[in-house]
Amino acid sequence: MEIKQSEFVISAVVPNQYPQDNRVEIAFVGRSNVGKSSLINTLVNRRKLVKVSGTPGKTRLVNFFLINNEFYFVDLPGYGYAKVSKSEKESWGKVIERYLTGREQLKKVMLLVDCRHKPTEDDIIMYKWIKHYNYDAIIVATKIDKLKKAELRKNLKVIRETFELSDDEEILTFSSLKKLGKEELLDAIEQCINN
């Protein structure tokens, strides 16, 4: 799949602000500094469609981007950033949960994890949430350019074990810097849209 067109549509706080046109949605979620904005920008071939912030935890809203005039990428708030108050963390949780509740257009949730670290408690909770709301998740291990091949293999095994993934659940790998894994991720997205 080739992405030829991408445009920002809306930053939504509450569900009645979400697009109501019934186009398919692919959501992206992960810890604040996992490289979510960079990944989306790489997929759409634009440097600044999604603002990349120097301060993790900047995305506090549900951001919708219309892709190829056919479907949406949905950028969910990053979680797990230590420097925000407990009440702020709870409000992000509510924003994410509100989006995940009964969103029929949502076909797949891409859960991004940093390949250099074992998934955190927050990552595990997020994965369980996605499953709880009956959505399919694809785990995407980001920043793979930072590890040697043997280290990456070992870390992917840890990620698989931490999430207790079955053998048929794959982990995709990605590097925004070197554009590694871009085609595989686009193929996975295309499959979701066409199913």
Side-chain angles (χ1 to χ4, degrees):
M1 178 175 71
E2 193 184 348
I3 293 178
K4 293 180 175 161
Q5 186 197 10
S6 54
E7 60 179 294
F8 169 72
V9 176
I10 191 169
S11 291
V13 184
V14 288
N16 65 10
Q17 295 174 319
Y18 300 165
Q20 303 298 322
D21 55 16
N22 287 327
R23 286 182 170 101
V24 166
E25 294 170 6
I26 307 290
F28 296 83
V29 68
R31 282 173 59 81
S32 301
N33 53 355
V34 76
K36 194 156 44 79
S37 304
S38 301
L39 178 140
I40 295 172
N41 285 337
T42 301
L43 291 180
V44 300
N45 296 314
R46 283 180 62 183
R47 302 258 300 267
K48 293 182 179 165
L49 178 69
V50 186
K51 289 182 181 67
V52 179
S53 168
T55 316
K58 272 288 192 220
T59 307
R60 288 153 199 219
L61 306 163
V62 179
N63 294 311
F64 289 83
F65 301 92
L66 182 58
I67 308 298
N68 287 349
N69 221 11
E70 284 174 40
F71 61 93
Y72 289 102
F73 279 171
V74 184
D75 184 13
L76 295 173
Y79 53 81
Y81 189 53
K83 289 186 182 170
V84 296
S85 68
K86 193 164 181 241
S87 64
E88 210 167 355
K89 278 183 189 169
E90 283 169 8
S91 81
W92 290 350
K94 284 194 183 84
V95 168
I96 295 171
E97 194 168 16
R98 209 179 288 136
Y99 172 73
L100 290 176
T101 307
R103 188 70 180 155
E104 284 177 26
Q105 297 91 319
L106 179 58
K107 289 290 180 236
K108 202 63 105 176
V109 182
M110 304 284 172
L111 175 56
L112 279 51
V113 293
D114 187 327
C115 74
R116 298 169 298 177
H117 310 292
K118 181 179 175 178
T120 64
E121 195 57 45
D122 286 331
D123 291 323
I124 296 163
I125 290 167
M126 180 51 67
Y127 181 70
K128 287 181 176 166
W129 260 16
I130 295 164
K131 291 295 191 190
H132 171 77
Y133 287 109
N134 292 319
Y135 296 111
D136 288 329
I138 292 182
I139 309 287
V140 183
T142 62
K143 307 187 182 187
I144 61 165
D145 53 282
K146 310 267 194 249
L147 291 180
K148 293 188 173 76
K149 280 207 168 99
E151 281 179 301
L152 179 60
R153 255 197 317 274
K154 193 177 80 185
N155 287 16
L156 290 176
K157 188 169 182 283
V158 170
I159 292 168
R160 177 171 290 284
E161 286 165 0
T162 306
F163 285 123
E164 299 173 359
L165 299 180
S166 62
D167 289 342
D168 59 343
E169 290 179 281
E170 64 177 330
I171 300 173
L172 295 179
T173 55
F174 197 85
S175 161
S176 298
L177 195 67
K178 300 201 170 164
K179 297 188 173 34
L180 300 170
K182 180 180 171 182
E183 294 309 318
E184 291 81 354
L185 193 46
L186 285 171
D187 286 348
I189 289 166
E190 189 172 26
Q191 278 183 334
C192 308
I193 291 160
N194 294 333
N195 283 349

